[in-house]
Amino acid sequence: MSILVNSSTRVLVQGITGREGGFQTERCIEYGTKVVAGCTPGRGGETAFGVPVFNTVKEAVKKAGPIDCSLIFVPAPFAADAILEAADSEIGVIICITEGIPVIDMMRVKRALRGSGITLIGPNCPGVMTPNECRVGIMPGSVYTPGHVGVVSRSGTLVYEAVDQLTRRGIGQSTSVGVGGDPIIGTSQREVLEMFNNDPDTAAVVLIGEIGGTAEQEAAEYIKAEMRKPVIAFIAGSTAPPGRRMGHAGAIIAGNTGTAAAKKAALADAGAVICDSPAEIGATTERVLRERGLL
């Protein structure tokens, strides 16, 4: 099993005719993802990479058949409306890669999705990957291999690094989820941990966090109260100067709760195994798996 996406997932790409949307759609199809439709207003009736393109999501759902997941590459000023359009068509999983969506737009999206049962991953995320089954995003498929370690990360590039270390040690992944680095995202690390906790094919989880906000402390509360599987954690930004923005919009420290030290302390107190360097993620995961008889 896996979480969120698998070999049966039928995917729609919103923004399929754009440069990035087109490039990544082609990579997804090459990986084996079932891309069944695309959507670009004004381009309905065309095809892209053998995939029919529709003017609206509703039209795509009506003519292409059931769609499980929407992958969004729409420019930032229009991305919130694209998310809401997918939600209005009751697509259960929406993965938004777009970076720079205005915060006020995301506040509108969060309110609209509350209680809907729809899972939004991102925005400003690398997407979701179930190795050898489904790539929905921009991840480099070559570093992934199937297995039983779940990976959840706020950082795109660090998740690739962590996965590469795991694969080189013969440790495969059940699903890899990049939740995104913006202040307002759809699905939190805590919620992804809960999915992995309930997934019988996931034996352990690697969690990659970063400075800013309290998402890792909320994840720690869940680990302490509910997590039945080992968690290996790394927090990026330990050496960041206080008050300086570090790449992701969410990586802004406001008070002591957003520091790397506070996050590592909370996760360690919850029972997670902490890596002090990103270079240690693979080795630490292997050690924990062997100690628990999982490898």
Side-chain angles (χ1 to χ4, degrees):
M1 287 184 64
S2 56
I3 65 169
L4 295 169
V5 298
N6 56 40
S7 59
S8 300
T9 301
R10 291 167 57 85
V11 177
L12 162 77
V13 179
Q14 291 175 257
I16 193 171
T17 58
R19 185 177 62 178
E20 186 66 15
F23 177 81
Q24 295 296 345
T25 297
E26 200 169 13
R27 304 289 86 72
C28 290
I29 293 171
E30 288 172 353
Y31 196 78
T33 304
K34 289 184 177 176
V35 179
V36 297
C39 179
T40 301
R43 302 287 293 268
E46 299 181 12
T47 60
F49 318 105
V51 174
V53 179
F54 301 92
N55 287 316
T56 67
V57 174
K58 278 196 182 299
E59 187 182 0
V61 170
K62 183 178 179 181
K63 296 184 178 177
I67 292 173
D68 308 300
C69 175
S70 179
L71 174 60
I72 296 178
F73 289 99
V74 172
F78 315 108
D81 285 341
I83 295 171
L84 295 175
E85 186 184 0
D88 190 49
S89 293
E90 300 181 345
I91 295 177
V93 177
I94 302 170
I95 298 172
C96 185
I97 308 301
T98 305
E99 183 176 354
I101 299 177
V103 171
I104 194 167
D105 288 359
M106 280 309 300
M107 292 173 65
R108 180 163 56 95
V109 168
K110 287 286 283 189
R111 279 197 302 272
L113 295 187
R114 191 173 296 143
S116 68
I118 292 169
T119 299
L120 170 64
I121 302 295
N124 191 11
C125 76
V128 180
M129 168 79 87
T130 294
N132 284 8
E133 293 194 40
C134 190
R135 173 191 190 266
V136 190
I138 61 174
M139 304 74 68
S142 60
V143 303
Y144 287 82
T145 193
H148 305 290
V149 172
V151 183
V152 54
S153 175
R154 283 172 71 179
S155 166
T157 49
L158 271 178
V159 74
Y160 312 151
E161 169 63 26
V163 166
D164 184 55
Q165 288 182 29
L166 296 175
T167 294
R168 288 173 185 273
R169 290 175 177 273
I171 301 169
Q173 307 86 46
S174 54
T175 301
S176 170
V177 182
V179 295
D182 278 0
I184 298 178
I185 57 175
T187 300
S188 67
Q189 292 156 305
R190 180 208 174 283
E191 291 169 312
V192 177
L193 282 175
E194 186 172 355
M195 295 179 201
F196 280 134
N197 208 18
N198 293 327
D199 175 27
D201 203 37
T202 296
V205 179
V206 171
L207 183 152
I208 301 170
E210 61 186 19
I211 58 173
T214 58
E216 289 77 7
Q217 283 89 339
E218 293 163 17
E221 289 176 6
Y222 178 78
I223 292 168
K224 194 168 191 175
E226 303 287 345
M227 199 72 189
R228 303 182 302 276
K229 303 172 182 179
V231 176
I232 299 91
F234 170 73
I235 304 297
S238 296
T239 59
R244 180 176 298 179
R245 178 177 292 189
M246 302 297 290
H248 281 167
I252 301 172
I253 295 176
N256 292 331
T257 56
T259 65
K263 291 171 183 286
K264 288 196 284 188
L267 288 162
D269 181 63
V273 179
I274 306 300
C275 301
D276 289 319
S277 162
E280 299 173 359
I281 294 173
T284 304
T285 303
E286 182 177 1
R287 174 175 60 79
V288 170
L289 292 176
R290 292 193 185 283
E291 288 174 353
R292 308 289 179 96
L294 298 171
L295 189 65

